[in-house]
Amino acid sequence: VTGATLIYGKKSESRFSETLAILYPLPAVRVDSTFVWTHRFLQRLRFLNTFNAQAPADLASRPPTDQDLREKVIEGLIEDQIILIEAKKNGVNVTEEELDASYNDQKKLTDDFEAKINQLYGMSVTEFRSVLAERILKEKVKGAVLVRVRVRHILTATPSAANTAKKQLNEGRPFADVAKEFSQDKQSKDAGGELGYWTKGELTTLVGPGFEETAFAIEVNKISDPVQSQYGFHVIQVTEKTGTNLQTYE
């Protein structure tokens, strides 16, 4: 990713300058061989400034500085553009039906929804739907592109118990049976040790870096050696692995 900002001067940041930037576009940032245009930067900055201007004066944690806000907007635009590039490569898109369904779900959360998004962010319905479509696309790209593993584990208090569990698995005893007998994870033991599907970065937060490193390195259906975390010792098995990209999209 390469980037350079060519933004209209701060004093000219207004709804008029947004319109002008659409008519006479300048690049705000370059991502690979594509550009993110200035009107998108100005629009995002307006949304965040509108929201931050409503923060109470006595709020303990103050809103970000103007420079922090600008950097945050640029970082967000770069990530969105990377997502868009990956979506085009992989034929991923958001249908009107998906967007309508998500928008209607959002509307159910509060009364006078359209008035509130305008009050909070200065967004029109069209602008909100555009932001929502980007969010949906991001999730779809994550599912289609990023490496995703389906993981199950057996958590024990000691390495000797983990080794005993692994030995029984290698001898052909069903994983679910061994999990029920040995696992100390009350949430997963009766479900055969199932933890579900995960992308890179998520298991580090949930369990620990050693667990995640093993889960993404091990071959499908192989049984890992015991892996230590803050919770104890894990015997890990990955039953499915899809995708090719190990990047993380937060």
Side-chain angles (χ1 to χ4, degrees), residues 146-151 197-204 209-220 236 238 240-242 245-248:
L146 297 186
V147 170
R148 191 170 69 149
V149 293
R150 184 178 182 182
V151 182
Y197 293 89
W198 303 88
T199 56
K200 193 76 170 175
E202 294 174 333
L203 285 168
T204 292
F211 188 104
E212 176 169 289
E213 183 179 341
T214 300
F216 281 88
I218 194 171
E219 294 180 23
V220 173
I236 302 166
V238 170
E240 294 179 40
K241 182 181 289 187
T242 60
N245 191 332
L246 282 169
Q247 187 172 350
T248 59

Side-chain angles (χ1 to χ4, degrees), residues 40-83:
R40 292 190 63 204
F41 172 86
L42 295 173
Q43 184 187 66
R44 290 285 183 89
L45 192 62
R46 171 169 57 85
F47 295 158
L48 291 179
N49 276 327
T50 302
F51 181 79
N52 287 333
Q54 298 173 73
D58 59 348
L59 192 67
S61 58
R62 300 300 302 155
T65 65
D66 180 72
Q67 183 61 33
D68 290 341
L69 203 60
R70 289 163 179 271
E71 290 176 1
K72 182 177 180 179
V73 170
I74 286 293
E75 288 170 3
L77 289 172
I78 290 172
E79 180 178 301
D80 288 349
Q81 193 69 5
I82 292 170
I83 292 289

Side-chain angles (χ1 to χ4, degrees), residues 169-200:
L169 292 171
N170 286 337
E171 290 172 350
R173 189 179 179 195
F175 198 101
D177 292 347
V178 180
K180 284 181 181 180
E181 179 178 344
F182 286 89
S183 186
Q184 303 298 304
D185 183 352
K186 294 180 181 180
Q187 292 184 326
S188 71
K189 64 178 296 181
D190 291 331
E194 285 285 348
L195 294 178
Y197 293 89
W198 303 88
T199 56
K200 193 76 170 175

Side-chain angles (χ1 to χ4, degrees), residues 15-36:
R15 295 300 290 266
F16 174 75
S17 64
E18 280 186 44
T19 303
L20 192 64
I22 295 172
L23 296 173
Y24 303 99
L26 288 174
V29 67
R30 188 180 72 190
V31 181
D32 291 338
S33 59
T34 68
F35 292 102
V36 179

